[in-house]
């Protein structure tokens, strides 16, 4: 159809530009607007572009308003089309109307109509194709649906023909020819007549013209020569209409030459149109150009649907409107048609004439009276209601002569002027061909004369895109994995750098390998890499295996051997050597060449000869040699079996639990039972060093045969004593262990040696003088001050007060199977676990509490008493009878009570989380509801319902969360607000946890947002332009100039798409590097990647600014939090720029660096608060948080920083004496803070418990000093008692804190602080020694009123703190206190234990333990 319309447009150009004579000489008249506005001075919009259609009758909709009639209320459009319009082509027009008149009519309609614009939102009245349709569903699937899109719901008109000559030709030449009747005479302009188009005309005109369209169009030249048209299978007499839609090439109009246009116009003027009947050629009915993804559709069915879309009245209603008689009988409708046609139509309308629709009724009429009346009425109203009509003398546009000239201009004159044809080459009336006119057509065209129509094809917009789309989705899903891989690489590099830094610091302890050694590679097993070693021959029949640094890896003793067996490999270059080591694992050496192996054998033979040992050598293949070797892993399995059966015999455990020997191979059983432990393996089993005095004493006692190994039986004998022996038997064993001269007496020197062996575990923290002091004190306390030696009886008498501890003393063996550990539950020797009597019933006892009377009573007294003060000796009970009855409830009541206490304990957190979640939910629901039901009529919800509500709802949540998450990082604001009344309602201490929670929720919504847009992109990629132009009117135009965009356009060629992908990358990087593991491994990586938040917000703003779907809304949520955060950040930046001078730098043991620096002016802080520092001398501006260890009353600030990562290690190296000697001065710091946190709340409780683990004791150093200072100046304090629990592996790790505690003890005159130190290293090594250390410690504490280990009056314990019993006892000691503050800082394992204990006790209706914790 495009060539025809193009040619007619050229014709109209001439109509518009035709000279108008004198009217052009003097413009004294009104200029007509092109859009038709103000044509009617009373009703300005009448007849204008976009004006509403004027209904001649009420709309016929299913709901009376808008919903179009569909099946089953009306017939199927395709079935109705087949019944009404199907028939043979080639029947000529009764009035000899030419094809030029038909196509000119379509052009006129396109000029005045604008109703074909698809409606927005896109709505469809799809045409369901009956199963087995020969054209559209030949396979009979029954699933074919031809899409039909409704027009714009505010349907509008175009305008009346506004060229005067076009007006004249249309009204007085073309229209009478088309209708076969004259047009009424013009009687002047009628101001009150509405010229607006009617929906009845819109449908009737197009359908009426369609019945006259031929299957093809002739082409002829001015000499009446009709041209052949080339086709796919030869030449044809005319252009096939169905193959020429929107195809210039097929019509020979490649260059739009004048001659081609002329020939087509001349051919139309000679060609007779199809008859004015009900039949429509197949080119329109079956091969009309298709909408959307179908290349073909049914023109008749489409217009039937269009009539229903427009709400056309019924056939009878329309006839009555135009004064025609309504249909009463079907036979009257079309007597000229075959009976079969009427029967089909009657059946489709269920024999109901009242239901017959306007279009099929009008098509079936014999004289087209209804269509003619509708069309004539419309054009007369267009003429009479047009103030600028050329015949209107009152508008002053034309003179009488000009009007007469216009009226006498015909379309023949126009064609003769614009084409190369002469007037004689055309008939006088080009819209009709009469007999005798020039150039008659060769024949009436039929479909059989022409090329076949190209069949329908289904266009898949997504074809070929599936793989690429899937790859993009997979790539997006793999972003976290890629980031994880990058983070893993970064972590490896950081660990390597950190190890290199540690090696650099420890370079002073590296030793060069000295003496004569032989280099080789040691083979450890088939799944383990070989390692370089050095073999060194010692003079005392010992072979030492050294690593590259010269450290001893193992020693192979040959003292008990008569000979040494060596096996050599006989293949693969003869490089392997196996040195058998009976009772231990073998040594397999790999040499680089056979000569090196020969050199080793030569030296080994000489060494053995000097040691009077024989050498037995044999050969075998290397593979057999390695199978023959007993590797370290195999030896480990043998030892596991050894210990399993050893404990099975001692504890009489069921054989199936220990592992029956019959289930194992006979060789393995034999090896296990005949296994003997070397000194090194024995020491390793005890978790001690092989050269320790205790191992030496114990090994010598157990090795009865003196062969240097302990057999199964020897180990069993000594194990039985410790597992089942009486206190007397155990003390006798210890006596024998240290009676080195075996004279039956234990001298003071031997007693001193025993004591020194006990304290080896604590890194020899006692000097010899202190040990001698303890020895003299213990002798004197037992009345043996005059003796130099003790008998066993005297020794046992010395331990008389500790029978209970000795009774529970055991050996702590590493590697005991889990099934056996339940029998070794008494880990700490001074804890006595006996079932309490009369305290709590079985059903009330919580097995996790492990609260037994002896344990609680003993520890409770220890934790409460102050050394040197009188101790109240009352008997402490766990619960009173009255309180115990409160817990006598069923499980449901207990759960309800626990839930109530949980709500009470975390009500602030719950309220904040619920409130934030409610706002987030509300934001999501509001946006989702808006786009689902209340959004502007773009149709996006109908297009992608699920995708749009998910993407828009989650986008709103993301905007809200990513905006207000900034408030959780306003440290200065939080520090101020936590001192206000708001702290009673908002848990400011949980700001970081809330930050993480919001971040994870935002991440989830980000994923949902992405998933929603993935759905949207897929749907948009398969949508036609008619739909996309509705959804994105600023991007797409449905004017034929564009095609639907591919998926990658949405992802990578739009602003929202590109920024969205970048945002996903940034989020993946930020979240991965912010995880706990990577934050600890590479804080610098976390620091750098987390600063990408600036780019994140920039991209979020850009992402929404494109307004592809909605107007930007991010600023609604973002402005206020951003302003607050910016102010807070500026405050921090103003402080960061000030350099702080370091007054003192001290390197303390255990990698702790003590920094004391100037206190800035107006720097006010509270004990327990923290700061962030940076050191430019390290070449980085990253800030790290540390708790202040100075008290607020001190003039300087101090930090104790432990070197646990690259930054802190480099900081320690920077302030080392060597570095300071090179720099010449102490590097300055940048300070940010102070910032508040939970530990500063200690003074708001009457009783507070401070629990510090490792370097986590730093906040409590400040608190303790502050408390004592305030107490010394009689400052009013709410806090009446503080219990400080210090958990450390060894007291030497943090000796600086011991100094602070000592100061506190000296200054504490009001008994405010009770300090308890737990050394965890001892209980993990050897329970026997822990028992003896406990005895010595208690004695030392009793006699000298200070700890044997720390020198403090504070009580020292060995093991881990019993938090549950301790907290339980505090309820009894402070019954008047309703709430106790618990503040812990340290490793996550410790803080979790404290948290668990608090939760256990908070389940009950007693004292509430408010826990504040911080992990490092």
């Amino acid at each position: 159809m495009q060539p025809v319309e193009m040619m007619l447009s050229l014709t109209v150009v001439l109509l518009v530009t035709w000279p108008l004579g004198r009217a052009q000489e003097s413009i004294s008249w009104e200029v007509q607007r092109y859009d038709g506005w103000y044509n009617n001075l009373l009703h300005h919009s009448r007849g204008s572009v976009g004006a509403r259609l004027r209904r001649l009758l009420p709309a016929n909709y299913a709901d009376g308003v808008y919903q179009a009639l569909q099946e089953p209320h009306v017939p199927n459009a395709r079935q109705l089309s087949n019944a009404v319009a199907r028939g043979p082509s080639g029947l000529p027009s009764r009035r000899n109307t030419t094809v030029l008149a038909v196509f000119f009519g379509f052009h006129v309609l396109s000029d005045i109509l604008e109703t074909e614009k698809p409606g927005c939102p896109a709505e469809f009245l799809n045409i369901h194709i009956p199963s087995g349709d020969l054209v559209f569903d030949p396979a009979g699937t029954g699933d074919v649906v031809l899409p039909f899109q409704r027009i714009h719901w505010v349907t509008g008109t175009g305008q009346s023909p506004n060229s005067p000559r076009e007006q004249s030709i249309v009204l007085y030449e073309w229209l009478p020819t088309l209708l076969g009747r004259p047009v009424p005479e013009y009687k002047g302009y009628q101001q009150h007549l509405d010229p607006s188009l009617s929906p009845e005309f819109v449908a009737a005109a197009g359908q009426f013209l369609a019945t006259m369209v031929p299957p093809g169009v002739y082409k002829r030249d001015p000499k009446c020569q009709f041209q052949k048209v080339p086709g796919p299978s030869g030449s044809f007499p005319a252009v096939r209409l169905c193959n020429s839609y929107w195809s210039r090439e097929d019509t020979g109009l490649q260059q739009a030459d004048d001659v081609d246009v002329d020939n087509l116009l001349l051919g139309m003027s000679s060609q007779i149109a199809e008859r004015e009947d009900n039949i429509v050629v197949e080119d329109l009915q079956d091969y009309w150009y298709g909408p959307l993804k179908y290349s073909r559709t049914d023109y008749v069915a489409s217009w039937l649907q269009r009539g229903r879309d427009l709400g056309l009245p019924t056939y009878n209603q329309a006839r009555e409107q135009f004064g025609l008689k309504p249909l009463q009988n079907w036979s009257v409708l079309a007597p000229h048609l075959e009976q079969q046609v009427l029967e089909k139509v009657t059946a489709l309308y269920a024999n109901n004439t009242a239901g017959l629709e306007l279009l099929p009724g009008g098509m079936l009429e014999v004289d087209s009276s209804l269509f003619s009346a509708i069309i004539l009425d419309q054009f007369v109203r267009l003429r009479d209601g047009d103030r600028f009509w050329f015949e209107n003398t009152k508008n002053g546009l034309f003179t009488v002569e000009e009007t007469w000239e216009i009226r006498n201009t015909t379309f023949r004159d126009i064609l003769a002027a614009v084409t190369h044809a002469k007037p004689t080459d055309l008939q006088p009336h080009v819209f009709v061909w009469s007999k005798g006119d020039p150039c008659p057509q060769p024949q009436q065209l039929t479909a059989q004369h022409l090329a076949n129509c190209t069949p329908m094809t289904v266009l898949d917009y997504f074809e070929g895109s599936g793989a690429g789309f899937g790859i993009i989705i997979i790539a997006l899903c793999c972003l976290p994995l890629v980031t994880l891989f990058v983070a893993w690489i970064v972590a490896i590099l950081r660990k390597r750098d950190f190890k290199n830094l540690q090696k650099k610091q420890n370079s002073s302890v590296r030793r060069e390998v000295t003496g004569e050694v032989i280099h080789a590679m040691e083979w450890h097993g088939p799944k383990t890499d070989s390692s370089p070693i050095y073999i060194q021959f010692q003079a005392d029949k010992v072979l030492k295996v050294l690593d590259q640094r010269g450290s001893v890896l193992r020693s192979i003793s040959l003292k008990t051997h008569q000979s040494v067996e060596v096996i050599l490999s006989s293949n693969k270059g003869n490089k392997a050597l196996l040195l058998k080591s009976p009772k231990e694992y073998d040594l397999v050496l790999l040499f680089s060449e056979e000569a090196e192996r020969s050199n080793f054998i030569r030296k080994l033979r000489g060494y053995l000869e000097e040691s009077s040992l024989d050498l037995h050598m044999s050969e075998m293949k290397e593979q057999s040699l390695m199978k023959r070797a007993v590797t370290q892993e195999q030896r480990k399995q043998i030892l596991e079996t050894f210990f399993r059966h050893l404990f099975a015999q001692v504890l009489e455990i069921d054989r199936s639990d220990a592992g029956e020997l019959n289930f194992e191979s006979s060789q393995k059983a034999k090896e296990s039972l005949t296994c003997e432990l070397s000194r090194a393996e024995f020491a390793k089993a005890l978790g001690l060093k092989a050269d320790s005095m205790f191992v030496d004493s114990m090994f010598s006692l157990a090795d009865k045969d003196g062969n240097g190994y302990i057999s199964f039986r020897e180990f069993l004998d000594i194990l039985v004593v410790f597992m089942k022996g009486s206190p007397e038997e155990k003390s006798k064993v210890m006596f024998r262990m240290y009676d080195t001269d075996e004279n039956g007496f234990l001298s003071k020197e031997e007693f001193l040696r025993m004591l020194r062996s006990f304290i080896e575990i604590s890194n020899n923290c006692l000097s010899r003088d202190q040990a001698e002091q303890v020895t003299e004190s213990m002798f004197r306390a037992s009345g043996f001050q005059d003796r130099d030696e003790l008998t066993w009886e005297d020794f046992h008498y010395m331990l008389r007060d500790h029978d209970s501890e000795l009774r529970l003393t055991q050996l702590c063996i590493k590697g005991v199977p889990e099934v056996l550990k339940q029998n070794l539950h008494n880990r700490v020797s001074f804890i006595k676990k006996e079932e309490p009597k009369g305290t709590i019933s079985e059903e009330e006892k919580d097995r996790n509490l492990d609260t037994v009377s002896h344990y609680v009573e003993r520890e409770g007294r220890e934790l409460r008493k102050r050394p040197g003060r009188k101790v109240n000796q009352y008997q402490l009970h766990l619960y009173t009878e009255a309180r115990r009855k409160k817990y006598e409830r069923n499980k449901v009541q207990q759960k309800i009570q626990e839930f109530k206490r949980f709500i009470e304990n975390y009500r602030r957190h719950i309220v904040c989380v619920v409130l934030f979640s409610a706002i987030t939910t509300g934001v999501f629901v509001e946006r989702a509801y808006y786009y689902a039901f209340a959004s502007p009529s773009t149709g996006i919800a109908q297009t992608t319902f699920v995708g749009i509500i998910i993407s828009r709802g989650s986008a709103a949540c993301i905007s809200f969360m990513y905006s207000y998450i900034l408030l959780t990082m306003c440290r200065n604001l939080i520090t101020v607000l936590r001192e206000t009344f708001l702290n009673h309602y908002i848990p400011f201490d949980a700001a970081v946890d809330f930050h993480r929670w919001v971040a994870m929720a935002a991440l989830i919504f980000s994923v949902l947002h992405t998933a929603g847009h993935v759905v949207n992109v897929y749907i948009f990629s398969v949508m036609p332009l008619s739909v996309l132009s509705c959804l994105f009117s600023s991007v797409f135009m449905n004017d034929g100039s564009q095609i639907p965009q591919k998926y990658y356009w949405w992802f990578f060629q739009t602003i929202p798409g590109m920024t969205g992908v970048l945002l996903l990358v940034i989020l993946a990087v930020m979240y991965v590097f912010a995880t706990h593991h990577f934050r600890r491994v590479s804080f610098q990586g976390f620091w750098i990647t987390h600063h990408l938040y600036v780019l994140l917000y920039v991209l979020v703003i850009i992402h929404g600014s494109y307004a592809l779907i909605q107007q930007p809304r991010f600023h609604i949520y973002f402005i206020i939090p951003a302003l607050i955060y910016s102010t807070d950040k500026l405050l921090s930046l103003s402080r960061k720029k000030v350099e702080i001078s370091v007054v003192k730098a001290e390197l303390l043991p255990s990698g702790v660096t003590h920094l004391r620096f100037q206190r800035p002016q107006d720097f006010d802080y509270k004990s327990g608060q923290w700061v962030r520092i940076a050191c430019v001398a390290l070449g980085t501006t990253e800030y790290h948080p540390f708790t202040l260890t100075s008290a607020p009353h001190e003039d300087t600030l101090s930090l104790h920083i432990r070197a646990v990562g690259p930054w802190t290690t480099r900081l320690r190296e920077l302030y080392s004496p060597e570095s300071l000697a090179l720099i010449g001065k102490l590097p300055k710091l940048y300070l940010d803070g102070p910032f508040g946190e939970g530990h500063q709340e200690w003074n708001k409780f009457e009783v507070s418990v401070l629990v510090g683990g490792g370097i986590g004791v730093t906040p409590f150093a400040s608190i303790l000093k502050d408390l004592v200072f305030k107490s010394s100046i009689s400052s009013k304090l709410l806090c009446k008692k503080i219990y400080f629990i210090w958990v450390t592996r060894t007291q030497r790790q943090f000796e600086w804190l011991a100094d602070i505690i000592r100061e506190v003890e000296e200054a504490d005159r009001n008994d405010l602080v009770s300090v308890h130190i737990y050394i965890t290293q001892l209980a993990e090594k050897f329970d026997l020694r822990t028992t003896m250390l406990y005895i010595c410690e208690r004695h030392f504490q009793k006699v000298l009123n200070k700890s044997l280990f720390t020198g403090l009056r504070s009580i020292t314990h060995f093991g881990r703190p019993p938090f549950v019993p301790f907290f339980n006892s505090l309820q009894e000691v402070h019954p008047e206190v309703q709430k106790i503050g618990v503040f812990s800082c340290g490793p996550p394992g410790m803080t979790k234990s404290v948290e668990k204990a608090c939760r256990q006790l908070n389940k009950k209706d007693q004292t509430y333990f408010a826990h504040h914790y911080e992990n490092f």
Side-chain angles (χ1 to χ4, degrees), residues 1082-1092 1136 1172 1180-1184:
S1082 177
F1083 184 85
Q1084 186 179 17
F1086 161 74
W1087 174 268
I1088 294 174
T1089 56
H1090 232 60
H1091 275 74
L1092 290 174
K1136 290 178 180 179
R1172 299 166 68 234
T1180 175
T1181 58
E1182 61 184 87
Y1183 279 74
H1184 290 257

Side-chain angles (χ1 to χ4, degrees), residues 49 91 116 214 310 404 552 607 745 768 786 809 851 858 1097:
V49 175
L91 300 177
E116 284 297 325
L310 295 171
W404 181 86
V552 179
Y607 173 74
F745 294 94
R768 181 178 178 86
D786 298 329
T809 299
T851 57
R858 179 146 204 165
Y1097 286 113

